[in-house]
């Protein structure tokens, strides 16, 4: 039997075989309308081929054919379209050679989907904002002849040069549909507000997909998103860490994927560069979890951990104890 040897050729082969990570899945509209096109967008890092399947509530299977549509400094964006008809909760599974992620979504008839909504006047202030200061968001959820009080609004963010969106916080609308939220400014990037929709199809038990709420009496409203708004954060330090999670509202004991990038500069006036071979450590409620990752491939890290209870998860790097990217995850 031949003995394997570590040569430049085998090292290159292993690097080429590593097919990167899947960062996020985005399925629209919410809910998906039976018989109408749905769109699946996937943000990845280091992935060269993407496969996907949709699984219906009655055992249906639909294959997704992904096309590469955009490249950023830290990753790529893929898109696939499909048409499904069976009403209920569907499951999407997306896989690369070394990674796989699942998400759920709701399919409803046009009548079940309810009233169309929109988010207007989405603004953030101040801009620019110093790192560590408060960033305030305001906006209005609108719909014709519908009650708009107490509706959930998700504030989502993607850092400059990245393509994956992640929920940072959420708030609720007042009786007039207006909403506001405050976050601590960490990194420059794009923000959007999302209303995930409400109501449910007549058949089946409430599930977890976007556009499907557990309240059977909830008035059916279609999901909507605001226009994107950019925020410029005036960084004070020499390091910055981005932090994205695969889900912020998850079942107990489910595995949450924490991904992001680490960057460094030599002085506050220099441009950012990615930082490889940097140790990123995962914290829960301020305490270490013994879960770490070493950045590679444009400063990227991936850390997986079970979500046992609700709370704030943060990522710290060994080079800077002050650089801490935090996101809250709620356990259902």
């Amino acid at each position: 039997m031949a003995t394997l040897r570590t040569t430049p050729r085998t090292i290159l082969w292993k690097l080429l075989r590593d097919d990167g990570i899947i960062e996020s899945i985005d399925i629209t509209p919410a809910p998906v309308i039976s018989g109408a096109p749905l769109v699946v967008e996937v943000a990845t890092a280091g992935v060269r081929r993407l496969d996907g399947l949709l699984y219906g509530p009655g055992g249906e299977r639909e294959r997704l054919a992904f096309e590469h549509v955009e490249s950023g400094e830290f990753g790529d964006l893929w898109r696939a379209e499909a048409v499904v008809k069976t009403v209920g909760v569907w499951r999407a599974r997306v896989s690369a050679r070394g990674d796989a992620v699942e998400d759920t979504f709701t399919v409803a008839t046009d009548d079940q989907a309810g009233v169309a909504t929109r988010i207007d006047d989405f603004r953030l202030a101040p801009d620019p904002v110093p790192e560590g200061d408060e960033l305030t968001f305001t906006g209005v959820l609108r719909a014709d002849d519908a009650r708009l009080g107490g509706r959930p609004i998700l504030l989502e963010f993607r850092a400059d040069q990245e393509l994956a969106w992640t929920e940072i916080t959420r708030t609720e609308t007042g009786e007039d549909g207006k909403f506001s939220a405050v976050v601590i400014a960490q990194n420059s990037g794009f923000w959007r507000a999302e209303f995930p929709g409400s109501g449910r199809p007549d058949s089946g038990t409430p599930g977890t997909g976007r556009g499907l709420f557990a309240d059977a009496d909830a008035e059916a409203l279609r999901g909507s998103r605001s226009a994107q708004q950019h925020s410029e954060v005036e960084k004070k330090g020499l390091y910055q860490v981005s932090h994205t999670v695969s889900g912020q509202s998850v079942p107990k004991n489910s595995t949450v994927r924490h991904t992001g990038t680490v960057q460094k500069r030599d002085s506050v006036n220099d441009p950012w560069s990615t930082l490889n071979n940097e140790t990123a450590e995962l914290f829960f409620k301020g305490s270490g979890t013994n879960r770490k990752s070493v950045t590679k491939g444009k400063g990227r890290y991936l850390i997986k951990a079970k979500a046992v209870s609700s709370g704030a998860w943060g990522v710290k790097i060994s080079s800077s104890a002050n650089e801490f990217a935090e996101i809250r995850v709620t356990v259902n």
Side-chain angles (χ1 to χ4, degrees):
M1 180 181 293
T3 301
L4 293 177
R5 299 171 56 201
T6 302
T7 65
R9 178 172 298 211
T10 59
I11 292 173
L12 177 61
W13 175 75
K14 289 180 180 180
L15 289 173
L16 290 174
R17 196 179 65 170
D18 181 8
D19 224 7
I21 59 176
I22 298 169
E23 295 190 297
S24 67
I25 302 177
D26 191 17
I27 304 170
T28 54
V32 170
I33 306 302
S34 172
L38 66 92
V39 177
V40 182
E41 290 189 337
V42 181
T44 67
V47 170
R48 292 177 299 283
R49 175 180 172 179
L50 204 60
D51 297 307
L53 283 171
L54 303 178
Y55 298 91
E60 300 87 351
R61 288 165 58 105
E62 297 286 343
R63 185 169 297 277
L64 295 171
F66 283 100
E67 294 184 357
H68 179 262
V69 294
E70 187 177 350
S71 292
E73 183 177 350
F74 300 119
D76 299 277
L77 186 67
W78 307 74
R79 182 178 295 129
E81 291 190 8
V83 175
V84 297
K85 295 183 178 180
T86 304
V87 170
V89 179
W90 284 66
R91 178 169 57 93
R93 177 179 172 83
V94 178
S95 59
R97 181 175 296 178
D99 200 7
V101 176
E102 293 188 356
D103 198 6
T104 58
F105 62 97
T106 305
V107 177
T109 66
D110 193 57
D111 290 339
Q112 292 168 338
V115 178
T117 67
R118 67 183 188 277
I119 296 177
D120 291 337
D121 303 324
F122 180 59
R123 296 186 175 92
L124 54 83
D127 187 40
V129 57
E131 179 187 13
D133 283 9
E134 290 186 345
L135 185 60
T136 300
F137 301 88
T138 56
V140 184
L141 177 67
R142 303 187 191 277
D144 296 334
D145 300 322
R147 300 190 307 274
L148 296 176
R151 303 293 183 174
I153 300 293
L154 284 53
L155 273 297
E156 299 169 335
F157 175 76
R158 66 176 178 91
D160 283 345
Q161 306 302 321
E162 295 197 17
L163 298 169
W165 289 89
T166 191
E167 178 190 332
I168 300 300
T169 189
R170 60 177 58 192
T171 186
E172 287 188 354
T173 57
E175 291 301 322
D176 55 1
K178 293 182 179 179
F179 63 87
S180 63
V182 177
V183 303
I184 300 301
Q186 292 183 331
N187 294 316
S188 299
F190 294 88
W191 292 87
R192 70 186 183 193
E194 177 176 358
F195 170 57
S198 65
R200 68 171 186 174
D202 291 337
S203 60
T205 303
T208 59
R210 291 175 63 247
L212 186 66
F213 277 29
D215 183 0
D217 298 324
E219 183 177 12
L221 296 176
R222 304 188 189 202
S224 57
R225 286 174 177 158
S226 70
Q228 301 177 23
Q229 296 290 338
H230 187 265
S231 171
E232 185 69 30
V233 174
E234 298 173 334
K235 299 288 288 187
K236 301 174 183 177
L238 303 181
Y239 298 87
Q240 69 175 7
V241 179
S242 68
H243 184 186
T244 299
V245 293
S246 56
Q248 284 200 264
S249 181
V250 301
K252 186 175 182 178
N253 293 323
S254 61
T255 298
V256 176
R257 300 154 50 86
H258 301 260
T259 62
T261 59
V262 179
Q263 297 184 83
K264 181 186 178 181
R265 59 186 176 183
D266 293 330
S267 74
V268 293
N269 296 317
D270 289 333
W272 294 102
S273 60
T274 55
L275 185 59
N276 292 333
N277 300 317
E278 173 70 21
T279 299
E281 183 176 2
L282 188 66
F283 282 70
F284 180 64
K285 295 184 177 180
S287 299
T289 62
N290 293 321
R291 298 203 175 260
K292 301 179 181 181
S293 173
V294 176
T295 61
K296 60 181 180 179
K298 297 187 177 180
R300 304 213 67 87
Y301 66 84
L302 166 62
I303 308 175
K304 299 179 182 179
K306 284 189 177 181
V308 178
S309 60
S310 299
W313 294 81
V315 173
K316 289 185 178 181
I317 59 174
S318 56
S319 297
S320 175
N322 295 326
E323 192 59 50
F324 188 68
E326 190 173 79
I327 293 178
R328 181 174 177 80
V329 174
T330 301
V331 171
N332 301 318

